[in-house]
PDB file of all heavy atoms in Angstrom:
ATOM      1  N   GLY Y  73     -13.641  -6.835  -4.355  1.00  0.00           N
ATOM      2  CA  GLY Y  73     -14.240  -7.495  -3.138  1.00  0.00           C
ATOM      3  C   GLY Y  73     -15.224  -8.609  -3.523  1.00  0.00           C
ATOM      4  O   GLY Y  73     -15.051  -9.212  -4.532  1.00  0.00           O
ATOM      5  N   ILE Y  74     -16.276  -8.665  -2.722  1.00  0.00           N
ATOM      6  CA  ILE Y  74     -17.210  -9.797  -3.047  1.00  0.00           C
ATOM      7  C   ILE Y  74     -18.089  -9.455  -4.272  1.00  0.00           C
ATOM      8  O   ILE Y  74     -18.649 -10.412  -4.799  1.00  0.00           O
ATOM      9  CB  ILE Y  74     -18.089 -10.080  -1.832  1.00  0.00           C
ATOM     10  CG1 ILE Y  74     -18.883  -8.893  -1.300  1.00  0.00           C
ATOM     11  CG2 ILE Y  74     -17.297 -10.761  -0.743  1.00  0.00           C
ATOM     12  CD1 ILE Y  74     -19.963  -9.184  -0.336  1.00  0.00           C
ATOM     13  N   TRP Y  75     -18.217  -8.198  -4.652  1.00  0.00           N
ATOM     14  CA  TRP Y  75     -18.926  -8.056  -5.860  1.00  0.00           C
ATOM     15  C   TRP Y  75     -18.417  -8.624  -6.987  1.00  0.00           C
ATOM     16  O   TRP Y  75     -19.086  -9.106  -7.986  1.00  0.00           O
ATOM     17  CB  TRP Y  75     -19.181  -6.443  -6.030  1.00  0.00           C
ATOM     18  CG  TRP Y  75     -20.067  -5.835  -5.086  1.00  0.00           C
ATOM     19  CD1 TRP Y  75     -20.763  -6.401  -4.056  1.00  0.00           C
ATOM     20  CD2 TRP Y  75     -20.367  -4.451  -5.038  1.00  0.00           C
ATOM     21  NE1 TRP Y  75     -21.482  -5.537  -3.383  1.00  0.00           N
ATOM     22  CE2 TRP Y  75     -21.239  -4.256  -3.911  1.00  0.00           C
ATOM     23  CE3 TRP Y  75     -19.981  -3.309  -5.698  1.00  0.00           C
ATOM     24  CZ2 TRP Y  75     -21.719  -2.982  -3.557  1.00  0.00           C
ATOM     25  CZ3 TRP Y  75     -20.371  -1.980  -5.325  1.00  0.00           C
ATOM     26  CH2 TRP Y  75     -21.255  -1.926  -4.241  1.00  0.00           C
ATOM     27  N   ILE Y  76     -17.119  -8.670  -7.096  1.00  0.00           N
ATOM     28  CA  ILE Y  76     -16.399  -9.400  -8.131  1.00  0.00           C
ATOM     29  C   ILE Y  76     -16.256 -10.923  -7.863  1.00  0.00           C
ATOM     30  O   ILE Y  76     -16.730 -11.731  -8.473  1.00  0.00           O
ATOM     31  CB  ILE Y  76     -14.974  -8.801  -8.453  1.00  0.00           C
ATOM     32  CG1 ILE Y  76     -15.130  -7.302  -8.898  1.00  0.00           C
ATOM     33  CG2 ILE Y  76     -14.254  -9.625  -9.459  1.00  0.00           C
ATOM     34  CD1 ILE Y  76     -15.785  -7.150 -10.263  1.00  0.00           C
ATOM     35  N   ALA Y  77     -15.702 -11.123  -6.664  1.00  0.00           N
ATOM     36  CA  ALA Y  77     -15.254 -12.525  -6.246  1.00  0.00           C
ATOM     37  C   ALA Y  77     -16.485 -13.445  -6.149  1.00  0.00           C
ATOM     38  O   ALA Y  77     -16.547 -14.588  -6.519  1.00  0.00           O
ATOM     39  CB  ALA Y  77     -14.508 -12.593  -5.049  1.00  0.00           C
ATOM     40  N   PHE Y  78     -17.518 -12.955  -5.561  1.00  0.00           N
ATOM     41  CA  PHE Y  78     -18.750 -13.725  -5.338  1.00  0.00           C
ATOM     42  C   PHE Y  78     -19.849 -13.492  -6.484  1.00  0.00           C
ATOM     43  O   PHE Y  78     -20.097 -14.418  -7.182  1.00  0.00           O
ATOM     44  CB  PHE Y  78     -19.405 -13.383  -4.036  1.00  0.00           C
ATOM     45  CG  PHE Y  78     -20.650 -14.162  -3.738  1.00  0.00           C
ATOM     46  CD1 PHE Y  78     -20.687 -15.452  -3.500  1.00  0.00           C
ATOM     47  CD2 PHE Y  78     -21.907 -13.431  -3.793  1.00  0.00           C
ATOM     48  CE1 PHE Y  78     -21.835 -16.161  -3.278  1.00  0.00           C
ATOM     49  CE2 PHE Y  78     -23.082 -14.170  -3.613  1.00  0.00           C
ATOM     50  CZ  PHE Y  78     -23.108 -15.527  -3.369  1.00  0.00           C
ATOM     51  N   ASP Y  79     -20.314 -12.329  -6.571  1.00  0.00           N
ATOM     52  CA  ASP Y  79     -21.394 -12.118  -7.529  1.00  0.00           C
ATOM     53  C   ASP Y  79     -20.958 -12.401  -8.977  1.00  0.00           C
ATOM     54  O   ASP Y  79     -21.782 -12.980  -9.787  1.00  0.00           O
ATOM     55  CB  ASP Y  79     -21.972 -10.591  -7.467  1.00  0.00           C
ATOM     56  CG  ASP Y  79     -22.613 -10.451  -6.262  1.00  0.00           C
ATOM     57  OD1 ASP Y  79     -23.845 -10.931  -6.120  1.00  0.00           O
ATOM     58  OD2 ASP Y  79     -22.209  -9.806  -5.266  1.00  0.00           O
ATOM     59  N   VAL Y  80     -19.823 -11.984  -9.457  1.00  0.00           N
ATOM     60  CA  VAL Y  80     -19.444 -12.249 -10.822  1.00  0.00           C
ATOM     61  C   VAL Y  80     -18.864 -13.665 -10.982  1.00  0.00           C
ATOM     62  O   VAL Y  80     -19.411 -14.407 -11.721  1.00  0.00           O
ATOM     63  CB  VAL Y  80     -18.388 -11.214 -11.358  1.00  0.00           C
ATOM     64  CG1 VAL Y  80     -18.030 -11.485 -12.714  1.00  0.00           C
ATOM     65  CG2 VAL Y  80     -18.996  -9.787 -11.287  1.00  0.00           C
ATOM     66  N   VAL Y  81     -17.808 -13.915 -10.221  1.00  0.00           N
ATOM     67  CA  VAL Y  81     -17.089 -15.129 -10.395  1.00  0.00           C
ATOM     68  C   VAL Y  81     -17.906 -16.362 -10.008  1.00  0.00           C
ATOM     69  O   VAL Y  81     -18.089 -17.362 -10.812  1.00  0.00           O
ATOM     70  CB  VAL Y  81     -15.675 -15.092  -9.811  1.00  0.00           C
ATOM     71  CG1 VAL Y  81     -14.879 -16.398  -9.999  1.00  0.00           C
ATOM     72  CG2 VAL Y  81     -14.901 -13.941 -10.326  1.00  0.00           C
ATOM     73  N   CYS Y  82     -18.354 -16.261  -8.738  1.00  0.00           N
ATOM     74  CA  CYS Y  82     -19.141 -17.478  -8.322  1.00  0.00           C
ATOM     75  C   CYS Y  82     -20.525 -17.483  -8.957  1.00  0.00           C
ATOM     76  O   CYS Y  82     -21.052 -18.538  -9.357  1.00  0.00           O
ATOM     77  CB  CYS Y  82     -19.304 -17.478  -6.757  1.00  0.00           C
ATOM     78  SG  CYS Y  82     -17.787 -17.633  -5.883  1.00  0.00           S
ATOM     79  N   GLY Y  83     -21.160 -16.265  -9.047  1.00  0.00           N
ATOM     80  CA  GLY Y  83     -22.452 -16.274  -9.626  1.00  0.00           C
ATOM     81  C   GLY Y  83     -22.512 -16.829 -10.978  1.00  0.00           C
ATOM     82  O   GLY Y  83     -23.447 -17.508 -11.336  1.00  0.00           O
ATOM     83  N   SER Y  84     -21.589 -16.339 -11.837  1.00  0.00           N
ATOM     84  CA  SER Y  84     -21.641 -16.916 -13.216  1.00  0.00           C
ATOM     85  C   SER Y  84     -21.338 -18.365 -13.382  1.00  0.00           C
ATOM     86  O   SER Y  84     -21.817 -19.100 -14.196  1.00  0.00           O
ATOM     87  CB  SER Y  84     -20.725 -16.160 -14.089  1.00  0.00           C
ATOM     88  OG  SER Y  84     -19.320 -16.336 -13.632  1.00  0.00           O
ATOM     89  N   ALA Y  85     -20.464 -18.842 -12.403  1.00  0.00           N
ATOM     90  CA  ALA Y  85     -20.158 -20.329 -12.410  1.00  0.00           C
ATOM     91  C   ALA Y  85     -21.441 -21.123 -12.028  1.00  0.00           C
ATOM     92  O   ALA Y  85     -21.671 -22.191 -12.601  1.00  0.00           O
ATOM     93  CB  ALA Y  85     -18.992 -20.560 -11.434  1.00  0.00           C
ATOM     94  N   LEU Y  86     -22.104 -20.578 -11.059  1.00  0.00           N
ATOM     95  CA  LEU Y  86     -23.349 -21.317 -10.630  1.00  0.00           C
ATOM     96  C   LEU Y  86     -24.436 -21.356 -11.733  1.00  0.00           C
ATOM     97  O   LEU Y  86     -25.264 -22.226 -11.915  1.00  0.00           O
ATOM     98  CB  LEU Y  86     -23.975 -20.695  -9.315  1.00  0.00           C
ATOM     99  CG  LEU Y  86     -23.186 -20.906  -8.121  1.00  0.00           C
ATOM    100  CD1 LEU Y  86     -23.731 -20.002  -6.985  1.00  0.00           C
ATOM    101  CD2 LEU Y  86     -23.176 -22.384  -7.711  1.00  0.00           C
ATOM    102  N   ALA Y  87     -24.282 -20.266 -12.607  1.00  0.00           N
ATOM    103  CA  ALA Y  87     -25.251 -20.142 -13.725  1.00  0.00           C
ATOM    104  C   ALA Y  87     -24.792 -21.053 -14.941  1.00  0.00           C
ATOM    105  O   ALA Y  87     -25.461 -21.139 -15.848  1.00  0.00           O
ATOM    106  CB  ALA Y  87     -25.288 -18.711 -14.217  1.00  0.00           C
ATOM    107  N   ALA Y  88     -23.652 -21.750 -14.792  1.00  0.00           N
ATOM    108  CA  ALA Y  88     -23.186 -22.598 -15.846  1.00  0.00           C
ATOM    109  C   ALA Y  88     -24.007 -23.771 -16.102  1.00  0.00           C
ATOM    110  O   ALA Y  88     -23.789 -24.562 -17.044  1.00  0.00           O
ATOM    111  CB  ALA Y  88     -21.720 -23.086 -15.480  1.00  0.00           C
ATOM    112  N   GLY Y  89     -25.003 -24.097 -15.302  1.00  0.00           N
ATOM    113  CA  GLY Y  89     -25.866 -25.245 -15.535  1.00  0.00           C
ATOM    114  C   GLY Y  89     -26.598 -25.109 -16.859  1.00  0.00           C
ATOM    115  O   GLY Y  89     -26.866 -26.023 -17.530  1.00  0.00           O
ATOM    116  N   GLY Y  90     -26.865 -23.785 -17.280  1.00  0.00           N
ATOM    117  CA  GLY Y  90     -27.557 -23.616 -18.550  1.00  0.00           C
ATOM    118  C   GLY Y  90     -26.798 -24.209 -19.751  1.00  0.00           C
ATOM    119  O   GLY Y  90     -27.319 -25.007 -20.499  1.00  0.00           O
ATOM    120  N   PHE Y  91     -25.471 -23.960 -19.813  1.00  0.00           N
ATOM    121  CA  PHE Y  91     -24.769 -24.445 -20.995  1.00  0.00           C
ATOM    122  C   PHE Y  91     -24.515 -25.900 -20.811  1.00  0.00           C
ATOM    123  O   PHE Y  91     -24.440 -26.724 -21.789  1.00  0.00           O
ATOM    124  CB  PHE Y  91     -23.530 -23.668 -21.215  1.00  0.00           C
ATOM    125  CG  PHE Y  91     -22.156 -24.162 -20.663  1.00  0.00           C
ATOM    126  CD1 PHE Y  91     -21.448 -25.034 -21.445  1.00  0.00           C
ATOM    127  CD2 PHE Y  91     -21.801 -23.816 -19.416  1.00  0.00           C
ATOM    128  CE1 PHE Y  91     -20.195 -25.587 -20.888  1.00  0.00           C
ATOM    129  CE2 PHE Y  91     -20.668 -24.270 -18.893  1.00  0.00           C
ATOM    130  CZ  PHE Y  91     -19.751 -25.129 -19.645  1.00  0.00           C
ATOM    131  N   THR Y  92     -24.358 -26.385 -19.549  1.00  0.00           N
ATOM    132  CA  THR Y  92     -24.061 -27.808 -19.342  1.00  0.00           C
ATOM    133  C   THR Y  92     -25.253 -28.701 -19.757  1.00  0.00           C
ATOM    134  O   THR Y  92     -25.076 -29.670 -20.540  1.00  0.00           O
ATOM    135  CB  THR Y  92     -23.713 -28.051 -17.801  1.00  0.00           C
ATOM    136  OG1 THR Y  92     -22.856 -27.035 -17.334  1.00  0.00           O
ATOM    137  CG2 THR Y  92     -23.085 -29.429 -17.710  1.00  0.00           C
ATOM    138  N   VAL Y  93     -26.309 -28.275 -19.303  1.00  0.00           N
ATOM    139  CA  VAL Y  93     -27.598 -29.023 -19.672  1.00  0.00           C
ATOM    140  C   VAL Y  93     -27.902 -29.008 -21.153  1.00  0.00           C
ATOM    141  O   VAL Y  93     -28.255 -30.009 -21.823  1.00  0.00           O
ATOM    142  CB  VAL Y  93     -28.872 -28.549 -18.780  1.00  0.00           C
ATOM    143  CG1 VAL Y  93     -30.066 -29.154 -19.294  1.00  0.00           C
ATOM    144  CG2 VAL Y  93     -28.630 -28.816 -17.346  1.00  0.00           C
ATOM    145  N   ALA Y  94     -27.607 -27.871 -21.710  1.00  0.00           N
ATOM    146  CA  ALA Y  94     -27.746 -27.708 -23.148  1.00  0.00           C
ATOM    147  C   ALA Y  94     -26.854 -28.635 -23.911  1.00  0.00           C
ATOM    148  O   ALA Y  94     -27.199 -29.220 -24.872  1.00  0.00           O
ATOM    149  CB  ALA Y  94     -27.560 -26.196 -23.576  1.00  0.00           C
TER     150      ALA Y  94
END
Side-chain angles (χ1 to χ4, degrees):
Chain Y
I74 55 166
W75 288 356
I76 299 291
F78 176 72
D79 287 286
V80 178
V81 181
C82 293
S84 64
L86 290 170
F91 96 90
T92 317
V93 173

